[in-house]
Amino acid sequence: MRQLIAAAVQISCTDEVENNLDKLENRVREAARRGAGLVVLQELFEGVYFCMDEDISHNSRALTLEGHKTIARMAALARETGVVLPVSLFERDGSRLYNTLVMIDADGKVLGRYRKSHIPNSPGYSEKLYFADGDTGFRVFETAAGRIGAGICWDQWFPEAARAMVLMGAEVLIYPTAIGSEPSFRGWDSRDHWQRVMQGHAGANLTPVIAANRVGVEKGEANEIVFYGSSFIADHTGAKLAEADRVSDSVITAALDLDEIAAARRSWGVFRDRRPDLYGVLLEPTPERLLAKNEA
C-alpha cells in the first residue's frame, strides 16, 4: 500500500512577496504536520493576479529561474518538511515570458519545469498579453509522492490535457489556479462548473485531482476579481474528499492509496477499450461553429 496524504493550500495575496511567502510557508508546515507528502499551491502566488489589467509594465515581474529566490526558499522548505512542492512562477527566458510551474521534490531538488499550455484571454484574465504558449508539452514528474501530472489553471478545462498526462503515467493530477468572478459577466459564478470539470477528469481517468485556488478581492486599474477559493481534492471516481471554503486562507488534506487506485484504473476498462483510430478529429482545428463570435 502506497498511501499519500495530499494537501492543497489557498491564501489571499498582496504585492508584498515576502508576506505571501511567509503565509504559504506557515500553511505548508501545517500540512506537513498533518502528514502531507504533496502540497499543491495556487497559481502565481508571489503577488497579485496582475493579468486582470492590460499593462505591459507588469512584465518586469518575470524572472529567470536560475538564482530565483522563491525557488530557493521553497526548495529549502521542501527539504526541511519532506514534502513535494509545485511552485508557480512568472518566468523570463530571454525575450520569452511564461507561466511556469517548477516541481520541487521532497529532498529540495528541482525536478524540472512545466510551462502553461493553454493561455486564456478574456476581460480580467488577459494572459495572452503576458505569457507565451508553453513549449514544454505536458509533463509528468517522478517524485517522492508518486508520479505527478501538472497543469496550470486554464489547462484544467481541457480533457485532452488530463488524459494525456494519465497516459504518460500520472498517478495524481494537480492544477494550481487563479479563478474567480468574471468582470464582463457580473453575477456569474463559475465555481461549481469549475469543480465539476476537474471532477470529470478524475472520474474519466480514474486518477485523483488536486486543485488549489486563491481567495480574496484583488483590484486592478480597470478590473476587480473576487477569487472564490473552494480548493478541493477529488478521488479517482471524481468524488470530493476535501474542500476549502470560498473566503479563508486554508489547508485541506486527504489520504490517497495510490496502489489501490492503480488497480482500479487497470481494471475499469476505459484505457483497455480506447479507440485511438477514431480520435483523429481531436488533431483538427476547432470547427468555426464552436468558436465565439465578436460582434460589433
Side-chain angles (χ1 to χ4, degrees), residues 31-255:
R33 288 193 296 270
R34 290 160 61 174
L38 167 66
V39 183
V40 182
L41 310 177
Q42 65 210 44
E43 183 184 21
L44 298 174
F45 55 72
E46 288 187 294
V48 298
Y49 181 72
F50 55 88
C51 307
M52 71 178 73
D53 290 320
E54 296 185 6
D55 181 353
I56 61 172
S57 68
H58 288 304
N59 286 343
S60 62
R61 298 170 182 265
L63 301 173
T64 60
L65 298 188
E66 294 72 21
H68 200 297
K69 292 181 179 179
T70 295
I71 295 176
R73 178 169 175 176
M74 293 294 105
L77 179 61
R79 183 166 53 250
E80 178 187 343
T81 57
V83 304
V84 175
L85 277 180
V87 175
S88 173
L89 301 163
F90 190 10
E91 178 195 2
R92 179 179 298 278
D93 184 4
S95 62
R96 307 280 282 179
L97 307 180
Y98 297 97
N99 188 331
T100 296
L101 179 145
V102 174
M103 185 65 72
I104 301 174
D105 210 352
D107 61 0
K109 180 181 178 181
V110 174
L111 298 178
R113 77 188 77 182
Y114 165 69
R115 290 168 169 165
K116 187 172 183 177
S117 299
H118 303 93
I119 311 298
N121 189 46
S122 62
Y125 300 89
S126 300
E127 294 196 13
K128 287 189 185 295
L129 178 68
Y130 300 102
F131 309 129
D133 291 342
D135 60 0
T136 59
F138 303 122
R139 296 292 311 276
V140 174
F141 298 92
E142 188 79 43
T143 78
R147 294 185 295 277
I148 310 301
I152 302 173
C153 201
W154 192 227
D155 290 331
Q156 67 207 357
W157 293 88
F158 294 82
E160 299 89 344
R163 176 53 59 90
M165 288 187 284
V166 175
L167 290 173
M168 294 165 64
E171 298 176 289
V172 177
L173 298 173
I174 66 168
Y175 295 102
T177 299
I179 189 170
S181 58
E182 300 286 340
S184 57
F185 296 97
R186 302 289 181 185
W188 180 33
D189 186 350
S190 63
R191 196 276 304 269
D192 291 349
H193 185 190
W194 170 73
Q195 289 189 338
R196 284 193 296 265
V197 167
M198 285 179 284
Q199 289 175 262
H201 298 335
N205 292 290
L206 287 99
T207 302
V209 165
I210 307 167
N213 194 17
R214 62 205 289 143
V215 292
V217 180
E218 298 186 20
K219 298 180 180 181
E221 293 298 321
N223 291 300
E224 174 181 302
I225 296 178
V226 180
F227 292 98
Y228 50 59
S230 305
S231 302
F232 71 97
I233 301 171
D235 72 8
H236 62 291
T237 72
K240 286 187 285 188
L241 300 176
E243 181 178 3
D245 67 25
R246 299 177 69 111
V247 297
S248 305
D249 289 7
S250 305
V251 177
I252 57 171
T253 60

